[in-house]
């Protein structure tokens, strides 16, 4: 009887350990390409990804991961995206030298970040601003030809004089060219994520999207919802180039958002609850 209890306890511990390993973030990119950094063999520079926000994905580390500065965040809630729909990508970097960045989504699920799958990044002649709080906003349209299901996304910041001062400039590659000292990037950070791509909003999200309206539209000062929300809802207002102009939360007692300080133009209001994106509505901000 005692032996059976010991075996049972061992089985429970083994199962819990295995489950923890499956859910824990990883420092192994396989089957995707290597993207670590070697700190120039002993001279570290803390070029880092401080925050990634994309749809309902929010990962605010506010620090550089330990060497080799690569993390696969497979332990986060998987955000949902719809083919053909645009979403704002907001990145915050800590930049200490001439660095560029890149973002890739493996739309065809072939375990390779191809040139055509680079959805955002520095151009060859445009490095990131040299600050400890460099924020980049980019409107990303999910490819209409993307395969559906869980999909790998990579975010990378790179500083390497041999690379950036060559013909590549600050147009960053998703991988190290090889494992040799010359091909491993000197400084930076790489983060991988899992996102889910679907053909349409799920039933609950589609219903919620249709169930709320905003007025007046065009609006001058205050947007009003046609209902109160029973759960805590967050929102963001995005302009036509993908910049986040407003963020906030809406409680049970609230059903209005002040937009007086917005410039005249067209915007998108996106609502989120704890389960993900509820939907969005377009509105026009009129002249004050």
């Amino acid at each position: 009887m005692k032996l059976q209890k010991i075996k049972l306890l061992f089985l429970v511990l083994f199962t819990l350990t295995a489950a923890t390993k499956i859910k824990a973030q990883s420092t192994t990119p396989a089957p995707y390409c290597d993207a670590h950094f070697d700190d120039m063999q002993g001279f570290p520079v803390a070029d880092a990804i401080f925050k990634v926000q994309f749809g309902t994905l929010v990962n605010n580390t506010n620090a550089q991961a330990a060497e080799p500065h690569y993390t696969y965040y497979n332990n986060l809630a998987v955000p949902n995206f719809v083919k053909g729909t645009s979403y704002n990508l907001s990145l915050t970097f800590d930049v200490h030298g001439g660095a560029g960045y890149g973002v890739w989504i493996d739309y065809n699920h072939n375990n390779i970040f191809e040139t055509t799958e680079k959805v955002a990044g520095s151009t060859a002649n445009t490095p990131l601003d040299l600050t400890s709080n460099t924020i980049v906003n980019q409107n990303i349209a999910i490819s209409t030809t993307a395969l559906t299901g869980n999909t790998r996304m990579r975010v990378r910041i790179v500083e390497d004089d041999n690379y950036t001062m060559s013909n590549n400039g600050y147009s960053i590659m998703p991988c190290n060219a090889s494992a040799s000292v010359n091909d491993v990037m000197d400084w930076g950070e790489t983060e991988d994520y899992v996102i889910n791509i679907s053909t349409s909003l799920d039933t609950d999200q589609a219903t919620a999207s249709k169930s709320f309206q905003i007025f007046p539209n065009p609006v001058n000062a205050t947007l009003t919802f046609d209902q109160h929300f029973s759960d805590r809802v967050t929102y963001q207002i995005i302009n036509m180039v993908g910049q986040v102009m407003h963020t906030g939360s809406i409680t049970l007692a609230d059903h209005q958002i002040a937009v007086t300080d917005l410039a005249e133009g067209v915007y998108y209001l996106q609502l989120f609850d704890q389960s993900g994106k509820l939907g969005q509505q377009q509105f026009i901000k009129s002249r004050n």
Side-chain angles (χ1 to χ4, degrees):
M1 186 71 177
K2 185 176 180 181
L3 181 60
Q4 288 179 333
K5 288 182 178 180
I6 292 173
K7 287 182 177 178
L8 179 61
L9 178 60
F10 176 79
L11 178 61
V12 170
L13 290 174
F14 177 81
T15 303
L16 289 174
T17 302
T20 301
K21 286 183 178 178
I22 291 172
K23 289 294 184 182
Q25 63 193 45
S26 171
T27 56
T28 302
Y32 286 82
C33 59
D34 175 61
H36 79 278
F37 300 84
D38 63 8
D39 285 342
M40 201 179 177
Q41 299 86 53
F43 297 92
V45 175
D47 292 309
I49 303 167
F50 272 8
K51 183 177 181 181
V52 174
Q53 183 169 351
F54 188 36
T56 58
L57 169 65
V58 180
N59 188 31
N60 190 2
T61 60
N62 204 38
Q64 185 189 51
E67 191 181 354
H69 314 307
Y70 167 85
T71 309
Y72 174 25
Y73 287 99
N74 60 352
N75 59 334
L76 302 179
V78 178
N80 295 309
F81 297 89
V82 177
K83 291 166 64 171
T85 303
S86 294
Y87 301 85
N88 184 70
L89 171 69
S90 181
L91 305 172
T92 304
F93 297 104
D94 183 14
V95 185
H96 291 262
Y101 82 100
V103 182
W104 297 263
I105 299 176
D106 182 20
Y107 284 132
N108 62 8
H109 294 184
N110 68 346
N111 301 333
I112 299 171
F113 294 114
E114 295 163 329
T115 303
T116 55
E117 295 174 329
K118 189 174 187 177
V119 297
S122 308
T123 61
N125 298 318
T126 309
L128 287 164
D129 291 339
L130 192 62
T131 75
S132 61
N133 190 44
T134 297
I135 299 175
V136 175
N137 285 290
Q138 178 74 46
N139 200 40
I140 306 297
I142 302 299
S143 172
T144 57
T145 62
L147 295 181
T148 58
N150 283 355
T151 303
R152 187 80 74 98
M153 180 179 80
R154 174 165 290 182
V155 181
R156 201 175 194 213
I157 178 176
V158 172
E159 179 187 353
D160 186 298
D161 292 345
N162 288 336
Y163 178 90
T164 57
M165 291 183 180
S166 69
N167 293 333
N168 299 297
Y170 301 99
S171 182
I172 301 306
M173 295 191 303
C175 319
N176 294 328
S178 77
S180 74
V181 172
N182 289 335
D183 286 339
V184 173
M185 297 293 99
D186 287 340
W187 305 296
E189 186 169 20
T190 304
E191 295 181 350
D192 280 3
Y193 297 91
V194 176
I195 66 173
N196 180 66
I197 298 176
S198 61
T199 56
S200 63
L201 292 172
D202 62 35
T203 303
D204 292 339
Q205 287 179 313
T207 300
S209 180
K210 293 177 181 177
S211 67
F212 85 88
Q213 299 292 326
I214 51 177
F215 63 90
N217 193 5
V219 60
N220 174 261
T222 304
L223 276 175
T224 301
F225 294 96
D226 64 347
Q227 62 177 287
H228 292 274
F229 296 97
S230 57
D231 297 320
R232 185 178 181 275
V233 172
T234 60
Y235 72 87
Q236 63 181 13
I237 294 175
I238 299 173
N239 65 16
M240 292 299 288
V241 297
Q243 295 175 310
V244 177
M245 309 304 293
H246 273 186
T247 60
S249 61
I250 305 167
T251 64
L252 179 61
D254 300 325
H255 64 288
Q256 293 184 324
I257 299 174
V259 294
T260 310
D261 61 333
L262 290 178
E264 183 179 2
V266 178
Y267 297 88
Y268 290 98
L269 171 66
Q270 297 180 337
L271 296 185
F272 304 88
D273 65 10
Q274 292 182 348
S275 64
K277 185 177 179 182
L278 291 175
Q280 72 178 19
Q281 296 287 347
Q282 186 185 81
F283 69 91
I284 299 172
K285 173 62 169 64
S286 60
R287 185 175 301 171
N288 292 326

